[in-house]
Amino acid sequence: AEHQHVRYNPLRDDWVLVSAHRVKRPWQGQLEKPPPEDVPRWDPKNPLCPGATRANGEVNPKYEGTFVFPNDFPALQPDAPEPDGSDHPLFQAAPARGVCKVMCFHPWSDLTLPLMSLPEIRAVIDAWAELMTELGASYPWVQIFENKGAMMGCSNPHPHCQVWASSFLPNEARLEDRTQRQHLSQHGVPMLLEYAEQEAHRKERLVVENADWLVVVPYWATWPYQTLLLPRRHVCRLQDLSDSEKDSLASIMQSLLIKYDNLFEVSFPYSMGWHGAPTGPYLEEDCRHWQLHAHYYPPLLRSATVRKFMVGYEMLAQVQRDLTPEQAAERLRSLPEVHYKKRAE
């Protein structure tokens, strides 16, 4: 807790420098603007709102729950042509095809997941599982991710996520596939199943838990209040969860995200995403080495206005953090599970 050291991340096969004493240094750098508190519940100019017109001229239905539609500016398209052949091994290109969708969590723009009810969060989880099944029938990788807050690149305050299905395994998926496969081969147990059991026993990095799930600040965390959401049983994909596990997932997500908001009493920004066994042609292969999990990467470090920048040493050498994962977990764990906006109610 007092002296710098490096920690190994077995999931990414890399190292992080932990320099806990650096959090005490004075800060005279960039200060962020807190998220706006006056987001209108419905705005006809907001392209994600029910009944609003999007950039391509399509009008959204007056939806009352979740709403999924094709991304109007997709990074991947299903009919992209083959790239030109390469005449040198240093200049390689390969086909990239896919589908990009947007999923609205709720019709109200002034709600975020921690302020939604458990049935509303469960509806989001059901929609995630349905998209994983639908797109995963043909695509090898389906990436569900949420960028929350302008600080993490979200261009619209309406509660939503994106789902990109690709004809290839992205870099992070290929890396996690390799490391988890190696761990199962060497130790006879899925890496993240063993890791969850160890963290549940040790408890020093535990943030919140229930009968089916636990959330920890991972031993190898890079972002200040990064967390890892893990099931207790061996499960490969989101669509493999039982109804009771989806209910308990809604509950633990709500608990975690309320703690995040309560940390600095602000709508807490983050990027999150689900990782599970590949799909498409991999549905017929042995993927026992995979364990379903979700990553949460929040940028805030000291306050609602001071963020962690991944620059300099992080970009040119290796990632570095300014407080230990144990300190971060203890702070998150001690926070109340009643949202700060609801305490006066």
Side-chain angles (χ1 to χ4, degrees):
E2 296 296 328
H3 302 287
Q4 69 268 15
H5 58 282
V6 292
R7 296 190 184 192
Y8 180 61
N9 180 346
L11 195 57
R12 299 197 76 258
D13 189 24
D14 63 11
W15 294 80
V16 55
L17 173 60
V18 183
S19 311
H21 56 283
R22 274 172 54 85
V23 80
K24 300 174 184 177
R25 75 191 193 282
W27 180 258
Q28 295 181 320
Q30 172 76 22
L31 296 180
E32 308 293 337
K33 292 182 179 179
E37 296 284 346
D38 57 347
V39 176
R41 179 157 293 182
W42 184 83
D43 181 354
K45 297 179 182 178
N46 186 329
L48 298 187
C49 280
T53 302
R54 303 202 308 273
N56 62 358
E58 298 219 10
V59 178
N60 297 333
K62 294 185 177 180
Y63 63 93
E64 297 180 353
T66 60
F67 170 51
V68 178
F69 62 93
N71 194 315
D72 296 329
F73 303 96
L76 293 163
Q77 296 176 321
D79 54 357
E82 296 271 341
D84 293 336
S86 173
D87 61 356
H88 193 282
L90 293 179
F91 301 92
Q92 297 187 49
R97 300 183 178 94
V99 172
C100 297
K101 293 182 179 289
V102 176
M103 185 181 119
C104 296
F105 296 153
H106 196 280
W108 294 356
S109 293
D110 58 345
L111 274 192
T112 55
L113 280 171
L115 292 169
M116 289 166 55
S117 69
L118 288 177
E120 289 168 338
I121 299 173
R122 169 62 197 270
V124 170
I125 294 167
D126 287 338
W128 282 344
E130 290 168 7
L131 283 168
M132 287 293 300
T133 301
E134 173 195 338
L135 298 174
S138 55
Y139 286 102
W141 189 257
V142 181
Q143 184 60 65
I144 297 169
F145 64 97
E146 179 194 4
N147 296 324
K148 182 183 175 219
M151 196 183 301
M152 293 307 286
C154 182
S155 60
N156 192 302
H158 196 91
H160 71 286
C161 72
Q162 297 191 54
V163 184
W164 293 11
S166 62
S167 61
F168 55 91
L169 288 188
N171 294 343
E172 293 295 312
R174 286 191 291 110
L175 181 56
E176 289 193 3
D177 185 70
R178 174 175 66 81
T179 58
Q180 290 180 96
R181 189 185 298 275
Q182 289 174 344
H183 188 93
L184 180 64
S185 175
Q186 294 171 5
H187 302 281
V189 61
M191 178 199 295
L192 292 181
L193 181 62
E194 181 178 11
Y195 179 68
E197 291 170 349
Q198 285 289 321
E199 290 287 33
H201 172 72
R202 296 170 187 251
K203 296 191 181 301
E204 59 187 330
R205 285 170 294 276
L206 193 65
V207 175
V208 63
E209 64 180 329
N210 61 26
D212 299 313
W213 301 87
L214 67 157
V215 175
V216 300
V217 177
Y219 178 78
W220 53 79
T222 57
W223 294 93
Y225 292 96
Q226 175 181 335
T227 54
L228 186 62
L229 172 57
L230 295 161
R232 292 185 185 271
R233 78 169 176 97
H234 184 207
V235 54
C236 289
R237 299 178 177 94
L238 192 65
Q239 58 268 44
D240 297 335
L241 297 174
S242 67
D243 283 342
S244 62
E245 286 170 330
K246 290 176 184 176
D247 285 339
S248 57
L249 175 57
S251 176
I252 203 165
M253 282 176 55
Q254 185 187 63
S255 296
L256 169 65
L257 298 180
I258 286 174
K259 284 179 178 289
Y260 270 162
D261 280 11
N262 285 343
L263 179 61
F264 299 129
E265 294 197 346
V266 70
S267 184
F268 205 69
Y270 58 75
S271 285
M272 70 81 63
W274 284 100
H275 283 173
T279 50
Y282 295 90
L283 293 170
E284 305 300 321
E285 295 190 8
D286 183 358
C287 291
R288 288 176 298 165
H289 54 290
W290 270 91
Q291 174 74 331
L292 176 69
H293 57 283
H295 297 282
Y296 284 83
Y297 298 132
L300 292 180
L301 173 58
R302 306 178 186 212
S303 69
T305 60
V306 178
R307 68 179 298 182
K308 165 69 175 179
F309 287 92
M310 290 292 185
V311 294
Y313 191 85
E314 290 88 353
M315 295 176 70
L316 296 165
Q318 70 180 36
V319 291
Q320 178 268 336
R321 60 179 292 118
D322 293 339
L323 76 166
T324 68
E326 294 75 26
Q327 291 167 334
E330 182 179 13
R331 187 165 183 190
L332 288 173
R333 187 169 55 244
S334 65
L335 292 167
E337 293 188 21
V338 176
H339 199 279
Y340 71 93
K341 289 186 175 181
K342 296 186 175 181
R343 287 179 201 157
E345 293 181 2

